[in-house]
Amino acid sequence: MDLGSILTSTLTDTMTVSLPLFRTELALAATIVLLLVCRMLPLARRLDSAFIALGGIAFATWFAWNDLRGLPGAPWGTPADGVVTPLRQELFGGLLLFDPLTAYVRLLLAGFLALYVPFTLASGIPDREDGADFYAMVLGGALGMCLMASANHLLTVFLAVEMASVPSYALSAVLKGRKAASEAGLKYAVYGAGAAGIMLYGISLVAGVLGTCHLPTMAVELPAIVGEGGGRTLVLALGGLMIAVGLSFKLSAVPFHFWCPDVFEGAAAEVGAFLSVASKAAAVALLVRLVSGIGEPVAEAAGGPVAAAGLAATRQFMVFVIAVLAAVTCTLGNLAAYGQTNMKRLLAYSTIAHAGYLMIGAAAVAALLGTRPEAAQRAVAALAFYLGTYLFMNLGAFAIVALLRNRLRSEEIASYAGLIRSSPGIVIAMAVVLVSLIGLPPLAGFVAKFLVFSSVVEAVRLSTAQPLMLVLLVVGGLNTVISLFYYLKVLKVMTFDPPGDDRPSEPLSLVSLSGALVTGLVVPVAALGIFWSGLYACARLAGRIVS
Amino acid sequence: MTPDALPQPALWPLTLIVFLPAFVAALLSLPIIPKAREEAIRWIAFATTAVTFVLSLWMAWPGLFAALGFGAAGPAQFAIGEAGMQAVVKKPWIPAFGIEYLLGVDGISMPLVLLTTFLSMLASAASWPITKHVKAYHVLFLLLVTGMVGVFVSLDFFLFYVFWEVMLLPMYFLIGIWGGPRREYAAIKFFLYTLLGSVLMLIAILMLYFTSDLRMLSPEQLIAARVVPDAAAAAEMASGTEPVHTFNLLALAALGQLPNSPFAALEVWGMSLETWAFLLLLIGFVIKVPVVPVHTWLPDAHVEAPTPISMILAGVLLKLGGYGILRICYPICPGGGLTLAWLVCGLGVVSMVYGAFAALAQTDFKRMVAYSSVSHMGYVMLGLGVWSAVAGNEFRWDAWAQGVNGAMFQMLAHGISSAGMFFMVGVLYDRVHHRDLNRFGGIFNRMPVYAGLAVAIFFAGLGLPGLCGFIGEVLVTLSAWNYSRVFAVVSAFTVILTAAYILWAIQRVYLGAEYTGPHGEDLVPMTRRELAIAAPLVFLAILFGVAPQTLFAYVTPTVNQQVQTLAAWTREVRPEAPPTQPALGTARSSRPQPPRESPRVTSEQPAPDQVSAATREATDPTAGGGTVN
């Protein structure tokens, strides 16, 4: 094959297969360029960059939605152009992968941005002057997260993680005058750089042993090597653990969570929302992708029984690592949250705890691989559903914190005392969000937890890791009870305690722009707790990455 | 699951009974009626609970409405004296998990629904003295009512759990905002205890769900459990290759009572899943009952809660635990029930004795009444637990049925008497603002009508013959004799302790020369509103005491059917009678053996043929009900 034909085939592949399924990312990239160009043009400068961003996001959301609907078996039929894409399509020569999980998480991220920009508009951070920079960084980070969700090659994994992280470092320090914000940005960057270094080292170890970074190829090569045992297995395990460190940093899993409370407290609540929702969704998607990609090879591995034993050992290793990290993350997050007095710090620990619940679900995915495909699909679907509800819950919580900050000039929990007297609407909204975060019915958080726990129970029934899964089930249950304390503490302060004297008297009504935004975030939290068939159907579709 | 093609006449009546309070609560929370119009809000809430009560009365007592000229009994109404599930409503909810909007009532839940709506109406009337944040109070109160009624009518485990949890948050705020001085502590304690129980329950629910397989049931059982409308759909379900899981309580019960029950087949850490599930569910329910040692939330919650909420707590919430044990634990996990019968009975006996002694030691009037609830609910546990189907070496379903009937009666009677007692304490507290038993006295002279009614209610709580508290305690004690003589003797002697604390309290509060405590000048006679709340309670306490068959007409057919079914089940899986107190972990090794007649059949018990005939009849769906309630 000569160079010309290689170029031609690459070109056709790129133009006809890859780029059409890459429209979401392209829309985001174009919007970033537009934002920066408009900033330089004198006339376009007068345009609020938030609206430019919103326009681009609208396109991205539309493309993401159509990509999801184009999948076979999608709910609500095929898109207008009637194109049905295959369930699994490698893009750009195997660097990226388009499958239901990619489509679902991309839509989730685009939907998040569509809600996030109005939220920043209502809360006033960033101001007009910083708008272009801020939104460019947010969109850039989101672009990286989209790539995280679709990465199919360890190099793209690393690039995507960095692309998502670097804007986040800058965003943490976006409140330029504040010392705490600069400190948060620096801390985050240093931690991030360390984690990225370790992850890159792990990738190089794995790539060195296996001779490839392409995930499906790795999955085929790996079992035989693991089955043989010996030094190479040790190197692989070490490399795997190092990659896990990088992922744990993105997931804010214990013991790589130390940046999280400090960054959340120092940075603006708006940035916290971005990190806590979007970054988490992408990190979980990446985790699921790595686990299912390695644990469930697309092609049959050569090597017979040795490879089968190696595959089993690989899965067992993944289950064990994720389960231990999950149990520790969940418990420590919930226990540490109890002592917090700052609302953003409390939400940071709550984010850590929820990362723990999500990782419990990921452990169930890993445990169910290779049993019944239906069960593993349901386990992935549970995670996808969790991410969908988590978007509304946490974005709602951060939106309320930001609005209250604008009103009260404080983010301390104690300053919320007696808020029910002056602003009952916002307190009810907060109650819905927090109770949903506890996981009580009939709210969305309960359904998400119910689904994750059901996949753990299925893992108990079907998988070989029964004792470990039982422990996870009990840990998850007990943590739900522990989490009651600190979420209710906030509600208690808001409702039971008498208001302080220095309280600005004007109430925060829900009948306003920001009030409408909060309502728009809180109503889905309640509605998804009762009518969850639709979202679950989408989540089931996302679960079809396992076959 | 395809939606049932059959007509569902009870769809709107049952849905309204459950959701009308929540709907009105949602309307109230909108700013249509200004906060300041407190009187209007009170009346709206009261009217809502009254309408709910009338609706449930219409369902429960067709004869009354027929006599009033509303026409003959309709298909949506309850047929008194019939066993089995009636007025079933079924709509698909989450097809992916087979979760359904499945409601229905039988002889166990109908009287409890009636009790709930009745007490809610009275509690709503008793809420007039609440002056703080009236609107929020009534919104939360109405949400609470929806949760309580929903639990009693749910036949889908998921739906049941949702309603079970929906009650928690309103109750937390009702205690935490409108309660006494230590309200925050009491509220969070209540929440934590119950949430711990319900998380364990959730784990059990998931375990049962993923172990269940509808394909194991016969077409008749599937139709009786309302899983499928006809035999064709049943055959289609049975032909599937994947297991079909279910949350349907009736179907789960049928599965649990199969000789090859899937729940008994699975072993987890040395115990069968059935025993685990029974244990986890039991913990969830006994926290609500509550029994010693998980009762400590109750005195705090009762004492701190405002009077109407105390009435609801004691009158309805405690019954949810007993109802759960009767509806869910025993039918779905009979093996666990058999293995752990000693635990249920033992907890009951310990609670009744401990509660009685603790009540004796109290100086706070309300706390004394709260501990009396612990003691009285102990009888319920004992009555439910006496698995006398295998008392000693005999199969005796009738003694067990007596115990369960007694427990049901005790629950309803305690609902009346404890709500009444809390209300009576509240009336006094509203006037003199203290509850110290040692600083009362002479109330009879100052408030004769009130004191007369109060003494009647307290005697009902004491278990005086002729009043409602007597029947249940006697039946439970009698039936316990067949299970364990020690338990029977102890529960009989507890009556003396009960008499001691109640008589002593009456002496200290109502008798005596004159009232010397604080605020003596405020001891005004009962208002008409208070009288209108107290009088029906006293009337019912007397009515159920002298004519217990008014309640037994509802309860007995269903309870007897369930007990017969379970007794027949015991015979099938345990041909040789096990020891009375089987040790933990000795699950059924004998299960796979073919059923065998007991060699030790005595003359008083129904002949084996008779029992199995009854069971067959009960299993026959055309007999109107089905075995699995």
Side-chain angles (χ1 to χ4, degrees), chain B residues 577-599:
Chain B
T580 318
Q581 296 186 7
L584 252 176
T586 56
R588 289 173 228 126
S589 50
S590 61
R591 190 156 215 176
Q593 290 178 9
R596 203 173 346 131
E597 298 301 330
S598 167

Side-chain angles (χ1 to χ4, degrees), chain A residues 450, chain B residues 157-158 160-161 198 200-210 246-247 252 277 281:
Chain A
F450 167 81
Chain B
F157 218 159
F158 188 88
F160 177 93
Y161 187 79
S198 43
L200 296 180
M201 195 155 91
L202 181 63
I203 293 177
I205 293 175
L206 288 172
M207 292 258 187
L208 290 174
Y209 174 77
F210 282 106
T246 184
F247 280 111
L252 283 173
L281 291 169

Side-chain angles (χ1 to χ4, degrees), chain A residues 27-63:
Chain A
L28 290 178
T31 316
I32 296 172
V33 175
L34 195 65
L35 276 170
L36 296 177
V37 168
C38 281
R39 186 161 192 194
M40 284 184 285
L41 300 176
L43 206 67
R45 235 175 140 156
R46 313 209 0 218
L47 202 64
D48 194 334
S49 42
F51 293 106
I52 302 173
L54 264 183
I57 290 164
F59 275 106
T61 314
W62 173 247
F63 292 144

Side-chain angles (χ1 to χ4, degrees), chain A residues 435 440-442 446 450-451 453-454 457-458 461 470 473 477 481 484-485 488 492 495-496 530 532-533 536, chain B residues 93-97 158 161 165-166 169 173 176-177 184 188 191-192 195 199 203 206-207 210-211 247 266 268:
Chain A
V435 172
L440 291 184
F446 164 69
F450 167 81
L451 290 172
F453 286 1
S454 359
V457 170
E458 262 190 303
R461 299 264 298 116
L470 267 176
L473 191 62
V481 180
L484 177 75
F485 269 118
L488 268 191
K492 183 200 84 119
T495 50
F496 298 181
I530 299 170
W532 47 281
S533 270
Y536 188 66
Chain B
W93 180 14
I94 310 290
F97 275 81
F158 188 88
Y161 187 79
E165 298 276 273
V166 160
L169 211 65
F173 284 110
I177 299 179
E184 286 174 20
I188 189 84
F191 208 149
L192 265 181
L195 186 67
V199 165
I203 293 177
L206 288 172
M207 292 258 187
F210 282 106
T211 316
F247 280 111
L266 188 74
V268 182

